[in-house]
Amino acid sequence: MHDDEEILAVARAGFLDEASDMLRQFEQALLIMEEDPTDAENLNAAFRAAHTIKGTAGLFGFDAVVHFTHEAETLLECLRSGQLAVNEHLTALLLRSRDQMEALLEEVRSGESDPEVAAVSHSLGAELRAAMTATSAPAAPSAPSAAPSEAAEVTTAAQGPGYWHISLRFGLDALRNGLDPLAFIRYLDSLGAVKHMHLVQALIPPLEGMDPENCYVGVEVAFESSASQQAIEQVFDFCHDDCDVAVLAPNADAASRQALLERRAEDSEAREALSSLWDRMGLVAPAEADLLPEPELTPAPAPTPIAAAAAPEPVSEAAPAAHIAAAAPSAKAAPKERKSEESRFIRVRADKLDRLIDLIGELVIASSGAQLVAHTEQSPSFMEAAQRISDIVEEARDGALGLRMVPIGDTFARFHRVVRDLSKQLGKDIELVITGGDTELDKSMVETIADPLMHLVRNSLDHGIEPTEQRIAVGKSAQGRLAFNAYHESGSIVIEVSDDGKGLDRDRILKKAIERNLIPHDAVLDDEAIYQLIFLPGFSTAEAVTNVSGRGVGMDVVKRNIESLRGHIRVASQPGRGATMQIRLPLTLAMIDGFLTMVGDVHYVLPLSVVSECIDVPQECLADPDRVCGTFDLRGEVLPYLDLARFYGVEPGLARRRSLIVVRDGTVRIGLVVDRLLGEHQTVIKPLAGIFRHIKALAGSTILGSGAVALVLDMQGVVQAATRQDTRLAPGLGLYSQRIGSDDKVAA
C-alpha cells in the first residue's frame, strides 16, 4: 500500500506539472486569439490544452477540474465550429476560466477543498453556458467545421443494430507506459453508456508463461451514445501508440464489419466465434449474422461519474460512417511525432539538480587542491594528470550549470496577461514588445526576478505611459509601448524594461525626497542619483493611490530582491520620451571563472569576465599611498581607482611591486590596486555568514585548493565605492560618505 501511495503521489505531481504547462499554453493561445480571432490553429491549440487538462484530470478522478474544464472546452468548441464569434467578452470569460482552472488545480495540489472556489466554479460555469446559448449570427468559421458525414453519424446513430462497436487491443507495453485500460473504458461513461463488454481471453497466455509487467488486455465494447464518431475516438487519443483502436458506427455496413473481423481473427473458427459474440452483444444487425450459441458475456463495469469528454476536434474531412475508424495513418503520425519530441526531455527534481551542482562545486575545489599538490611535488606526470582532471572537471561544471539555464522569454511571456488586464483596467491601449527572449538565465534567478519585474511593469503602466488622449495631444501614437529586452554583456545578463511614456520627473522626485527628509535640502545629486531615490522605502510621487500602485511599497523591494542576486538596477529617463529600468545580474549564483588576487594576507576573487587588463600601479596612486581612492590617467582617459588594502583596512603586503587591475562593470571602468596577481581560478561561490553581511562590496566567499578562504568581490559595491561618493548623501542610498579625491579613509 505504501508503494502504491508513493507511485500515485509521483504521478499526481507529474500531472500538476504538465497541467501548469498546459495552462500557460492555454493563456498564451487566448491572448493571441484576442489579437487575431481568425487564427484557427491558435484556437485549436487552446482547445487541445483544455482537452489535455480535462482528460488527464479525468484519469486521476479529479472531478471538480473535469467538470469545470468541460464547460470552458465546450465554449471553445462553439468558437471553433463557428457557432459563436470571438469577441472581447468571450475572451475575458475564457481567461477567467483559466484562472479558475488554476485554482482548482491548486486544490488538488494542497488536498484541501475551498467552498468559495466551488462557488466560483458554479457561477462561472453558468456564465459559460449562458454565453453558449446566447443568440448571435453565425460567424465565419475560424476553423474547418465538421464534415456533413459527421453530423449524419449522430442522426443515424440510433439506426442499425443501435450500438457503437469499439474494439480495443492494448499492446504489451501499455502498462509499462503508464496506461490503465479500464480508465479509458470508464471514461466512455461521460459520452454514453457501456451496454456490454467482453474480455478477449484468447489473448491471455497460461500463467506459467505470463509476464506480470505485460498487458494482455483486449476488449469488445457495445456502446450506446449519441456522440459523434470523432468524439468517441478522441477518448483514446492518449493511447494510440499502445493500443489498436477500431470504432464502427451503429450503421456500419457488412463489409466494414467483415474487414474488422479479419483483422481481429486469423482463422475461420475464431471468426465464427467472434462474429457470434458481436451478434449476442447487439453489434451486428440480424441480417448480417448467423445465430450461433450464445457466448458468455462480461457485464459492463459500473458507471463512474466523470464529466463529459472532449468535444471532437474537427478535421478537414471526416471519415465515412461506414468505414472503420481505426485511426488513419496521418492521425497516428501526430501522436508518434509528439512522443518522439517529448522523449528528448526529462523532468528532474530541482533539489536533485541543486545537489548535483553542489557536488560539482566540491569536485572543482578538490581538483584545485590536486593541482596545488602537483605543483608542490614538481612531478611532471602528476601535473599532467591533474591538469587533465581539471579540464574534465571544468567541462562537467559548464555542463551542470547549463542544466539550470532556462530562456528568460518564458518569464517575459507571463506578462502578456498582466499588460492586457492592467491596460483594460486603466483604460489605456498598450502594446508589449519582447526581444531577447532566448537569452538564458539561471533558473533560481528566474523565480526571484519575476516579482521585481512585476512591480516595474505595474509602475510603467500606471505612472509611465499616459492615457490615450494625453498621448495624442503631445503628438505621440495612441498606443503605448512597453518593451522587455534581455542580452548578455561582460559575463552578466542585462534585462531592460522600458516604456515610451512621460519619463521620470527629476525635479518632482528631488522635491519629494527633500520634503520627506530623505536627503538634505542642499544635497548635490546627479540625475542617476536622483532617480535612485525612487527605490527608498515609502517613496512615491503619485498624487493619488490606486489599486495598481502609488503607496510607495514595492520599488524598495525591487532593489532589495535584485541586490540579493548580486545584481543592481539603474534608471535612465528622458522627459516626455520614456524611461528604462536596466537590471544587471550575474549569469549564475553557483560557480564562476574568477581572477585570484591577494592583498596583505587575504585572497580576493574578481569575476574573470570583468577584468580588462593588469598594469603597474600608476604614479598618481603612488604619489599618496594612504589614499583610499582617487583618479589616474590610462592612456589619456581619466579613470577612478580604489586601493583594496586601504578600503578594507588591511595592511598592504611587503611586495615591492603592486599592481592595478582595470575592471569593467557595464560601461563603467575603474582600477583596483592589489598586492599580487595569482591568475585565473575556478570559483565556487559560497554565501557569507550573517555576521559578515555588513561588510561592503563582498558577494560571498570561496575555498581555495589549499583550504584557505578567499573573498569574492561584489563589483557593483566596488564601483559605487570608487565612483559615487558624497558627504551629504543620505545613508539610505547605500553610498559612501566622501567624494573622490578626499584624503579621509572610507569606513568599510
Side-chain angles (χ1 to χ4, degrees):
M1 180 62 68
H2 176 73
D3 291 342
D4 291 344
E5 291 176 354
E6 184 176 352
I7 292 172
L8 286 174
V10 172
R12 182 166 56 248
F15 158 69
L16 292 172
D17 289 341
E18 182 186 22
S20 297
D21 294 339
M22 291 296 105
L23 279 178
R24 282 194 290 271
Q25 294 179 24
F26 186 57
E27 180 178 271
Q28 185 177 7
L30 292 178
L31 294 173
I32 296 176
M33 182 180 75
E34 187 175 40
E35 297 294 328
D36 184 7
T38 63
D39 190 340
E41 181 53 37
N42 179 72
L43 190 55
N44 289 335
F47 180 87
R48 285 193 296 268
H51 174 64
T52 301
I53 294 173
K54 188 190 78 170
T56 314
L59 293 177
F60 280 94
F62 301 140
D63 293 341
V65 179
V66 173
H67 286 304
F68 180 80
T69 307
H70 175 68
E71 302 286 0
E73 188 185 44
T74 308
L75 177 57
L76 282 169
E77 179 55 29
C78 291
L79 295 174
R80 295 199 316 160
S81 63
Q83 299 176 35
L84 294 174
V86 176
N87 56 48
E88 185 176 340
H89 171 66
L90 294 181
T91 304
L93 203 56
L94 288 169
L95 285 171
R96 288 170 55 199
S97 300
R98 178 258 174 225
D99 295 339
Q100 182 62 14
M101 290 156 60
E102 184 176 36
L104 291 169
L105 289 169
E106 188 58 36
E107 284 190 335
V108 173
R109 191 185 303 275
S110 64
E112 299 178 357
S113 298
D114 186 349
E116 294 185 4
V117 174
V120 173
S121 293
H122 180 75
S123 60
L124 188 54
E127 290 187 55
L128 290 167
R129 290 190 295 274
M132 286 184 281
T133 56
T135 56
S136 61
S142 57
S145 58
S149 58
E150 183 180 318
E153 291 173 8
V154 180
T155 59
T156 62
Q159 301 176 10
Y163 297 144
W164 289 87
H165 181 181
I166 303 174
S167 179
L168 306 174
R169 298 293 186 270
F170 285 89
L172 293 178
D173 292 330
L175 298 178
R176 293 188 184 93
N177 294 334
L179 296 181
D180 179 2
L182 188 56
F184 292 95
I185 304 300
R186 288 174 175 164
Y187 199 63
L188 286 170
D189 291 333
S190 61
L191 290 179
V194 176
K195 291 301 183 180
H196 299 289
M197 183 176 72
H198 179 78
L199 177 66
V200 183
Q201 298 181 4
L203 300 177
I204 304 175
L207 185 61
E208 59 273 11
M210 185 180 296
D211 185 339
E213 294 186 356
N214 282 350
C215 179
Y216 304 102
V217 176
V219 290
E220 301 292 324
V221 179
F223 183 54
E224 185 177 54
S225 174
S226 60
S228 69
Q229 184 162 329
Q230 282 204 315
I232 298 173
E233 289 174 2
Q234 283 193 337
V235 172
F236 305 97
D237 273 353
F238 296 101
C239 66
H240 265 303
D241 291 336
D242 294 289
C243 182
D244 181 4
V245 181
V247 179
L248 290 182
N251 61 338
D253 57 21
S256 299
R257 298 186 189 280
Q258 182 64 29
L260 178 59
L261 188 64
E262 293 176 357
R263 279 178 56 186
R264 293 292 187 242
E266 297 180 355
D267 53 54
S268 58
E269 183 178 354
R271 290 170 189 161
E272 288 181 4
L274 187 57
S275 176
S276 176
L277 170 67
W278 291 353
D279 178 35
R280 300 309 177 187
M281 293 175 68
L283 295 173
V284 182
E288 298 179 25
D290 296 325
L291 298 179
L292 298 176
E294 180 177 352
E296 181 181 355
L297 297 180
T298 303
T304 301
I306 297 179
E313 180 175 347
V315 293
S316 58
E317 185 176 346
H323 287 76
I324 300 172
S330 59
K332 282 190 175 182
K336 289 183 179 179
E337 184 178 348
R338 288 197 301 269
K339 184 174 180 180
S340 175
E341 182 70 17
E342 291 171 358
S343 65
R344 298 174 54 220
F345 300 94
I346 183 172
R347 292 185 183 274
V348 180
R349 287 172 56 93
D351 56 347
K352 290 184 177 181
L353 190 55
D354 292 340
R355 175 59 178 161
L356 173 63
I357 299 294
D358 292 340
L359 290 175
I360 293 290
E362 296 302 320
L363 191 59
V364 168
I365 295 173
S367 173
S368 179
Q371 282 189 295
L372 181 61
V373 173
H375 282 283
T376 303
E377 296 293 332
Q378 290 296 309
S379 169
S381 58
F382 190 5
M383 292 174 64
E384 181 180 355
Q387 183 59 48
R388 187 162 59 251
I389 292 174
S390 177
D391 294 340
I392 295 174
V393 168
E394 183 175 356
E395 186 175 349
R397 180 205 66 177
D398 294 340
L401 290 177
L403 295 176
R404 291 209 312 196
M405 304 299 284
V406 296
I408 198 170
D410 294 340
T411 301
F412 287 168
R414 300 178 190 176
F415 290 97
H416 280 291
R417 173 75 182 280
V418 176
V419 172
R420 181 252 182 207
D421 290 347
L422 283 181
S423 61
K424 290 184 179 299
Q425 180 181 340
L426 298 170
K428 300 177 180 179
D429 183 11
I430 301 174
E431 174 192 19
L432 176 62
V433 179
I434 295 177
T435 55
D438 56 349
T439 305
E440 292 188 332
L441 182 65
D442 194 308
K443 181 174 176 58
S444 60
M445 290 188 182
V446 168
E447 297 169 354
T448 306
I449 201 64
D451 188 56
L453 290 177
M454 178 68 73
H455 284 293
L456 296 180
V457 168
R458 292 169 71 92
N459 275 281
S460 289
L461 297 183
D462 196 14
H463 302 308
I465 299 178
E466 313 93 330
T468 303
E469 299 77 12
Q470 294 184 19
R471 293 179 62 84
I472 295 176
V474 297
K476 293 184 178 181
S477 63
Q479 186 181 55
R481 184 178 185 271
L482 178 69
F484 279 114
N485 184 32
Y487 56 92
H488 288 142
E489 182 181 88
S490 301
S492 301
I493 181 172
V494 180
I495 302 171
E496 295 177 342
V497 181
S498 58
D499 63 66
D500 64 348
K502 57 188 175 184
L504 297 177
D505 190 331
R506 178 189 184 280
D507 296 333
R508 184 173 177 79
I509 293 173
L510 185 60
K511 180 181 178 182
K512 282 285 186 180
I514 295 174
E515 288 178 357
R516 298 190 177 195
N517 294 321
L518 297 175
I519 60 172
H521 69 280
D522 59 344
V524 178
L525 305 176
D526 58 16
D527 288 349
E528 187 173 352
I530 291 175
Y531 295 147
Q532 287 289 325
L533 292 170
I534 66 175
F535 297 106
L536 294 179
F539 185 86
S540 176
T541 60
E543 297 180 357
V545 176
T546 68
N547 293 330
V548 178
S549 59
R551 297 184 182 274
V553 178
M555 295 303 283
D556 60 317
V557 178
V558 168
K559 185 173 184 180
R560 186 162 61 248
N561 287 352
I562 292 172
E563 290 180 347
S564 71
L565 298 173
R566 303 203 315 271
H568 58 276
I569 182 169
R570 291 175 176 166
V571 183
S573 177
Q574 292 181 307
R577 300 284 298 276
T580 298
M581 305 287 178
Q582 185 188 81
I583 301 171
R584 186 177 294 270
L585 299 169
L587 287 179
T588 178
L589 299 177
M591 288 172 273
I592 62 170
D593 287 320
F595 188 79
L596 186 62
T597 66
M598 198 168 185
V599 177
D601 295 329
V602 182
H603 293 86
Y604 293 93
V605 177
L606 294 79
L608 183 62
S609 58
V610 305
V611 177
S612 296
E613 57 181 306
C614 300
I615 61 176
D616 289 335
V617 177
Q619 290 299 319
E620 296 92 332
C621 305
L622 297 175
D624 189 352
D626 292 330
R627 293 183 63 178
V628 177
C629 55
T631 58
F632 70 99
D633 183 6
L634 179 66
R635 297 185 292 275
E637 181 182 1
V638 178
L639 298 180
Y641 75 86
L642 188 70
D643 190 324
L644 289 181
R646 302 302 179 192
F647 180 67
Y648 283 115
V650 177
E651 191 64 29
L654 300 178
R656 296 180 181 178
R657 179 180 176 182
R658 303 182 78 199
S659 301
L660 183 142
I661 307 173
V662 180
V663 298
R664 178 188 298 275
D665 183 50
T667 58
V668 180
R669 291 204 300 168
I670 66 169
L672 299 178
V673 179
V674 299
D675 291 345
R676 294 179 60 188
L677 305 175
L678 302 179
E680 297 183 21
H681 182 267
Q682 292 186 47
T683 303
V684 181
I685 301 177
K686 298 183 177 294
L688 288 172
I691 192 174
F692 300 113
R693 289 178 183 169
H694 68 284
I695 302 178
K696 303 296 182 182
L698 289 183
S701 61
T702 187
I703 301 176
L704 304 179
S706 63
V709 175
L711 301 175
V712 181
L713 292 176
D714 172 24
M715 293 313 301
Q716 176 194 2
V718 169
V719 170
Q720 285 183 350
T723 61
R724 300 183 57 195
Q725 305 173 21
D726 194 301
T727 57
R728 291 166 291 182
L729 289 181
L733 290 174
L735 305 179
Y736 296 93
S737 56
Q738 66 163 296
R739 291 179 180 273
I740 296 177
S742 170
D743 293 333
D744 298 330
K745 293 183 179 181
V746 178

